[in-house]
Amino acid sequence: MSKAPLRAGLVGLGAMGRNHARVLGLLGGVDLVGAADPAGGALADGTPVVPTLGELLALRPDYAVVACPTALHEEVGMTLAAHGVCALIEKPLAHSVVAARRLVDAFEAQGLIAAVGHIERFNPALQNLRARLEAGELGEVFQVVTRRQGPFPHRIADVGVVKDLATHDIDLTGWVTGQEYASVSARTLSKSGRAYEDMVTVTGDLADGTLVSHLVNWLSPLKERFTAVTGERGCFVADTLTADLTYYANGTVTTEWEALRAFRGVSEGDMIRYATPKREPLLVEHERFRDAVAGGGPSGIVTLREGLRTVEVAAAVLESARERVSVRLPAARREAAGT
């Protein structure tokens, strides 16, 4: 006998919330029983939209997707945990380290499955990159460089570019390398007239000495999502806009032009762009969370404790920019479960 579908709820119907609603409507083994948003009404498929979280809880969801503004994540998450409802919370986990820790403690105390929506982990290019790094194809990793820039998204009003965008790069860097951040040094600018920063540059290192660099802003007409990992055998470049992964190998052919050889350091080798299946990352994220709630356990999802670590690094970035100093991060507690 087949199991009854899981009952899912959705909190927040902004731009990201509507994407979640679309995917939940397609997700096998799940029924979207309702959404909570102050506007009320109904979705196009007739799913009820209730104005309060209490009314959504009355629909008895097994889990809820939290896609409301970041400042509300703590309040909503704590309420869900108190009612025994599992949760997929959009990134960042919370607006502060203290709030993020409270959420971790609340869901762990109840023994509930909970995850953070760090969607880049489910991008085919980055999943391919991580698998190749784990297989040792690059050898020793020396450096991770990311660039994430584009026009200002008017949907964001309660956080700056560090918490909204840079958290993508913080999370993916730690995930693909399997390393924690050891220190960060950052500078920010605010040029759009908002209370929050809209540009940041970050340099730092990971626990194993790997160098990192992040350039993130909302001030560019160029939209770019670039990750490069350089190591002893070459460089992987992931474009998460197109989900392409390209490998630039160190050359094995001797360069006879002496001046050019001295300038290049390493010679250019083969370039390979890998052909990989490209499934929608948001759909894959939902499938992994559904399976975890259905009994598969936390393997394959971004746990709240991992989301807390990203919030801690983001807080260190903002502290560094504010105080104009390098900030060291304490060693994180390791989890047995991973993605």
Side-chain angles (χ1 to χ4, degrees):
M1 183 179 296
S2 61
K3 293 182 179 180
L6 291 169
R7 297 171 64 82
L10 173 62
V11 182
L13 282 173
M16 197 63 201
R18 292 191 177 276
N19 273 325
H20 282 293
R22 172 183 59 81
V23 170
L24 285 166
L26 301 172
L27 195 59
V30 172
D31 285 341
L32 178 58
V33 297
D37 191 89
L43 298 176
D45 63 358
T47 300
V49 178
V50 295
T52 68
L53 179 57
E55 290 170 280
L56 180 64
L57 289 170
L59 298 174
R60 297 179 294 105
D62 297 304
Y63 73 87
V65 178
V66 180
C68 54
T70 304
L72 300 177
H73 285 188
E74 180 187 10
E75 177 185 351
V76 171
M78 295 296 284
T79 301
L80 293 173
H83 285 79
V85 178
C86 299
L88 171 59
I89 303 173
E90 259 304 334
K91 63 85 202 159
L93 173 56
H95 66 284
S96 71
V97 172
V98 171
R101 285 177 181 153
R102 286 175 180 156
L103 287 170
V104 170
D105 292 343
F107 280 93
E108 288 185 350
Q110 295 291 336
L112 295 167
I113 294 292
V116 187
H118 281 293
I119 193 171
E120 290 285 48
R121 290 205 193 187
F122 305 96
N123 188 288
L126 293 177
Q127 292 204 330
N128 193 355
L129 169 57
R130 183 176 189 251
R132 292 180 181 279
L133 291 179
E134 287 183 328
E137 293 185 17
L138 200 59
E140 182 185 355
V141 174
F142 302 150
Q143 183 182 55
V144 180
V145 174
T146 71
R147 299 194 302 269
R148 186 175 299 270
Q149 52 189 344
F152 175 70
H154 294 286
R155 62 183 175 83
I156 302 298
D158 61 336
V159 294
V161 75
V162 170
K163 291 181 180 178
D164 183 68
L165 279 191
T167 46
H168 281 302
D169 297 293
I170 292 167
D171 179 74
L172 74 85
T173 296
W175 178 66
V176 299
T177 62
Q179 294 292 321
E180 301 282 358
Y181 279 75
S183 70
V184 291
S185 180
R187 297 292 184 269
T188 59
L189 287 176
S190 181
K191 295 292 186 180
S192 62
R194 300 169 67 250
Y196 302 101
E197 78 289 343
D198 39 42
M199 173 177 280
V200 64
T201 62
V202 184
T203 59
D205 60 354
L206 305 180
D208 65 349
T210 298
L211 298 179
V212 298
S213 172
H214 307 309
L215 171 63
V216 188
N217 74 67
W218 279 326
L219 299 176
S220 172
L222 166 67
K223 187 170 183 178
E224 186 178 32
R225 302 289 185 266
F226 171 95
T227 300
V229 182
T230 302
E232 62 179 322
R233 294 176 186 163
C235 178
F236 282 116
V237 175
D239 182 337
T240 54
L241 285 176
T242 60
D244 287 327
L245 179 66
T246 305
Y247 177 50
Y248 297 84
N250 290 345
T252 57
V253 177
T254 301
T255 300
E256 297 182 6
W257 186 357
E258 182 65 31
L260 186 59
R261 182 170 67 240
F263 173 75
R264 284 184 172 173
V266 297
S267 60
E268 295 176 357
D270 294 331
M271 182 183 74
I272 304 170
R273 185 171 69 82
Y274 298 103
T276 56
K278 296 180 179 180
R279 301 186 67 222
E280 182 184 0
L282 188 61
L283 177 59
V284 177
E285 178 181 76
H286 273 273
E287 289 174 345
R288 298 281 182 86
F289 188 72
R290 173 203 62 195
D291 295 345
V293 174
S299 178
I301 64 175
V302 186
T303 66
L304 295 200
R305 196 164 287 281
E306 291 175 301
L308 165 61
R309 184 59 173 177
T310 296
V311 173
E312 289 174 337
V313 177
V317 167
L318 290 171
E319 178 187 351
S320 173
R322 183 175 62 252
E323 304 296 333
R324 303 184 76 82
V325 297
S326 179
V327 175
R328 293 202 62 80
L329 288 125
R333 285 186 292 168
R334 297 284 182 178
E335 289 184 291
T339 58

